[in-house]
Amino acid sequence: MQETKEAKKLVLSGIQPSGTLTLGNYLGALRNWTKMQDEYLCYYMLADLHTITVRQVPAELRQNCLKTAAIYLAAGLDPEKITLFLQSMVPAHSQLAWVLNCYAMMGELNRMTQFKDKSARHADNINGGLYTYPVLMAADILLYQADYVPVGKDQKQHVELARDIANRFNNTYSETFRIPEPIISTNTASIRSLSDPTKKMSKSESGDGTIFVLDNKDTILRKVRKAVTDSDGEIRRGEGKHGINNLMNIYSAATGKTDGEIESEFAGKGYGDFKLAVGEAIADLLGGIQQEYERYMADKAYLNRVLIEGAERASYAANKTLSKVYRKVGFYDPHK
Ligand code: ATP
Ligand code: LTN
């Protein structure tokens, strides 16, 4: 028993509790996390330290942390199997991030596309945290000696940076960090905005292009009805048919149907029929999560307990790596 436990590969991931999670967060990240919880040793966190790189309203951030924890559980994560925790409750994340800042090169950080996107969107607040955000993310991953990091496509570059930093540190001293690999599931790697399918669906976009995990059925049907498509009228994947490709990805992810099955189901039918089916499939998919979500939100004491126990377990694992790192870089410890 003990042996199999030790042989399990380790998975770490996180989502920023910067608002209500979206269908993109669910399909691109959260749903994959639930599939991994039996086979792997999983650490899933709420990346609240990351959220303050963009200004947050404090009371809303606190509430979003609780809501996101409830969504994690409602989506099927089981705190008996996984470690669920708030990043800010484990100080080792900030501590390792500082050290790793000294092993991340300006040139590397300059190439990060999320920094370029976010600084364009928040031109009045291009702060240092936004710039070093990927280093904090590297610390999140490397602290737990993660083998795998399930994320959407937009985060692949950050996981690659974590690998580069880990290799640099290991080569400078000696083997300290395990080299992590991103896991990106293909069709849901990047769910696009319904109103502008050239852009990723994102929780900080408030318009009708984003479906939130807690949207009710009417809202979902309305947003999908308004989704941007093209004029060709055929429910078939195609080069440049970003809107239809996106809806097909969503429909397939929600129902398990293949492209071929979807094409024959809608042969001779129009976009209106297809959109209605997509909307209903999403509402079915999210309906169960919403019910569970309400149940968890009604029991704040339980959510608090999960977060406290999760932070204790996470701290134990994280501190082991942190003390190794402190020793390797040469910090003096009078206890030893
Ligand atoms: P924000 O708008 O605050 O930047 P976001 O919605 O882009 O947030 P993140 O918290 O940055 O979401 O991402 C959490 C996880 O969800 C990451 O693994 C990310 O890759 C994944 N993800 C986010 N948006 C999508 C999407 N549209 N399609 C697939 N995966 C996504
Ligand atoms: N940067 C990620 C959230 C995140 C994360 C992580 C994901 C923070 N730390 C560690 C995986 C592993 C995001 O916003 N998409």
Side-chain angles (χ1 to χ4, degrees):
M1 185 69 194
Q2 192 58 27
E3 224 167 87
T4 45
K5 234 188 176 168
E6 276 174 14
K8 275 189 175 179
K9 297 271 191 199
L10 198 141
V11 168
L12 176 127
S13 198
I15 299 181
Q16 298 185 62
S18 49
T20 309
L21 299 198
T22 69
L23 181 67
N25 297 138
Y26 177 66
L27 293 178
L30 195 49
R31 188 164 76 164
N32 300 324
W33 299 3
T34 63
K35 292 181 189 156
M36 302 179 93
Q37 63 182 341
D38 289 314
E39 198 178 334
Y40 301 98
L41 200 57
C42 300
Y43 287 84
Y44 294 132
M45 59 171 205
L46 303 154
D48 58 344
L49 295 176
H50 278 99
T51 64
I52 63 163
T53 53
V54 171
R55 288 281 173 268
Q56 304 290 324
V57 177
E60 283 177 13
L61 176 58
R62 260 189 289 277
Q63 194 56 18
N64 281 334
C65 286
L66 201 66
K67 285 184 178 173
T68 308
I71 293 177
Y72 278 14
L73 298 179
L77 292 179
D78 178 354
E80 301 281 317
K81 294 182 186 159
I82 62 149
T83 300
L84 190 166
F85 66 101
L86 261 173
Q87 188 187 27
S88 66
M89 288 179 71
V90 182
H93 290 253
S94 308
Q95 293 169 303
L96 182 63
W98 169 253
V99 175
L100 297 185
N101 263 316
C102 303
Y103 297 82
M105 299 297 140
M106 298 283 283
E108 288 174 322
L109 297 178
N110 287 337
R111 283 196 293 276
M112 296 294 120
T113 56
Q114 181 176 293
F115 171 69
K116 292 183 204 165
D117 287 355
K118 288 215 171 172
S119 45
R121 279 200 279 149
H122 304 278
D124 56 338
N125 182 23
I126 306 178
N127 59 69
L130 201 57
Y131 188 62
T132 58
Y133 173 119
V135 182
L136 177 59
M137 179 161 159
D140 301 337
I141 298 168
L142 301 179
L143 267 180
Y144 298 90
Q145 307 288 351
D147 294 285
Y148 301 120
V149 185
V151 282
K153 199 164 95 193
D154 60 307
Q155 296 300 315
K156 184 164 180 251
Q157 197 186 29
H158 291 162
V159 181
E160 279 161 2
L161 177 71
R163 290 167 61 92
D164 292 342
I165 294 175
N167 275 319
R168 183 171 301 129
F169 193 97
N170 288 351
N171 292 335
T172 307
Y173 303 98
S174 57
E175 209 58 25
T176 310
F177 297 122
R178 189 165 300 159
I179 308 301
E181 271 177 51
I183 295 192
I184 298 166
S185 54
T186 44
N187 271 1
T188 53
S190 185
I191 302 296
R192 319 305 291 170
S193 158
L194 299 181
S195 50
D196 180 357
T198 61
K199 286 203 206 130
K200 161 181 111 99
M201 182 182 284
S202 134
K203 66 174 111 63
S204 48
E205 193 206 306
S206 52
D208 283 346
T210 299
I211 291 182
F212 294 100
V213 168
L214 301 179
D215 279 348
N216 65 30
K217 184 166 181 175
D218 285 348
T219 307
I220 295 171
L221 292 179
R222 180 177 55 77
K223 287 179 177 174
V224 179
R225 202 175 327 115
K226 285 176 64 184
V228 169
T229 45
D230 51 61
S231 53
D232 124 341
E234 272 196 62
I235 292 106
R236 184 177 298 276
R237 226 175 252 284
E239 186 87 18
K241 286 172 57 111
H242 302 297
I244 285 297
N245 293 344
N246 189 37
L247 292 178
M248 283 185 70
N249 283 340
I250 294 173
Y251 190 61
S252 157
T255 60
K257 292 178 184 166
T258 62
D259 279 1
E261 287 166 342
I262 300 172
E263 284 170 13
S264 39
E265 182 179 353
F266 293 98
K269 295 191 180 157
Y271 285 165
D273 293 320
F274 181 50
K275 285 177 168 178
L276 182 63
V278 174
E280 289 191 332
I282 299 172
D284 283 349
L285 182 73
L286 299 181
I289 298 176
Q290 293 172 2
Q291 271 183 0
E292 285 294 289
Y293 167 80
E294 294 302 337
R295 208 167 60 80
Y296 286 114
M297 281 306 276
D299 193 353
K300 190 173 166 188
Y302 173 73
L303 290 174
N304 285 343
R305 211 160 55 239
V306 167
L307 291 175
I308 290 170
E309 281 169 16
E312 281 166 4
R313 285 212 294 273
S315 294
Y316 179 77
N319 285 334
K320 275 209 248 179
T321 302
L322 185 70
S323 46
K324 234 195 242 179
V325 168
Y326 271 25
R327 185 163 44 77
K328 297 219 180 173
V329 299
F331 294 153
Y332 178 65
D333 181 355
H335 296 106
K336 289 190 177 152

